[in-house]
Amino acid sequence: MPLTPTDASQDSADDGDFAVYATAAWPRLVRTAHMLTGDFHEAEDLVQTTLAKVYARWRRIPRDDVDFYVRRSLVNNNLSRVRKRRVVQLLMPFLPERVDESEPGHAEAVAQRAALDEALAALSARQRAVMVLRYWEDLGEAETAQLLGCSVGTVKTHARRGLEALRAHPLFDGRHPVSGARP
């Protein structure tokens, strides 16, 4: 079936909308994916895969649900990646930091971030997803449950067990993994 001029202009408008969304959301999605995967390069690959799949369905996604749809796709693609375990290589246990950082306490912040990444890596994929969505993305229990396709009780259980595991991790020596967190 040949394209009419209005179909062609609608396709180019949709492509433009997607490009604007992908460009604006890229940094946030990579940070979230890094927390899910524990590896910066895996995170970029995960975001690229997710955005490619979202692009294929872009015209059918309601505009007010785009963030929810992309987050859910990101988490589901990560869970699929974990299940498949196609790539089992560890490049670095933490992100390399810029050398020109000279602020006081930078070394401690880098060490704390590396410890948190290592502790998150010890959690199951579902616990890690709940921890990242609840405490990194700052989603509520109901939003997290809807995004993961489970009950609120399951989210609460994964969050409680994940926090217990993080608090008990030997790298924290009785300190809380997140400053200001209560026991």
Side-chain angles (χ1 to χ4, degrees):
M1 177 161 78
L3 288 176
T4 64
T6 55
D7 290 341
S9 65
Q10 180 63 34
D11 285 345
S12 65
D14 286 343
D15 289 347
D17 289 347
F18 178 79
V20 168
Y21 175 80
T23 302
W26 178 264
R28 176 179 51 85
L29 293 173
V30 170
R31 283 190 304 268
T32 300
H34 178 260
M35 296 298 287
L36 290 170
T37 63
D39 178 69
F40 183 72
H41 300 288
E42 286 287 322
E44 285 188 328
D45 290 345
L46 178 61
V47 172
Q48 281 182 327
T49 301
T50 300
L51 288 176
K53 290 179 179 181
V54 166
Y55 178 72
R57 299 188 50 87
W58 184 251
R59 293 176 66 186
R60 290 174 270 182
I61 301 170
R63 292 300 172 250
D64 55 337
D65 289 339
V66 170
D67 285 330
F68 173 81
Y69 186 89
V70 171
R71 253 194 221 116
R72 185 171 188 146
S73 297
L74 188 72
V75 170
N76 288 342
N77 287 332
N78 180 58
L79 292 174
S80 294
R81 181 192 64 84
V82 169
R83 273 187 225 112
K84 292 175 186 173
R85 289 280 183 205
R86 287 186 184 164
V87 179
V88 184
Q89 75 182 37
L90 180 63
L91 299 175
M92 304 183 86
F94 55 89
L95 283 175
E97 297 296 325
R98 294 188 304 233
V99 178
D100 62 335
E101 295 286 338
S102 60
E103 62 187 67
H106 178 69
E108 183 179 313
V110 170
Q112 186 178 18
R113 176 63 186 253
L116 183 59
D117 284 346
E118 187 175 327
L120 280 173
L123 299 177
S124 72
R126 290 293 268 193
Q127 282 179 344
R128 186 175 183 147
V130 167
M131 300 302 291
V132 169
L133 292 171
R134 286 282 293 129
Y135 303 109
W136 179 259
E137 287 284 320
D138 200 26
L139 296 180
E141 291 169 343
E143 292 172 305
T144 303
Q146 183 183 14
L147 200 114
L148 293 175
C150 63
S151 70
V152 173
T154 302
V155 169
K156 289 178 181 181
T157 300
H158 281 309
R160 181 180 50 80
R161 289 179 182 164
L163 285 172
E164 286 172 0
L166 289 177
R167 289 178 180 135
H169 199 277
L171 290 174
F172 294 115
D173 297 328
R175 303 184 327 257
H176 295 295
V178 180
S179 61
R182 60 179 196 271

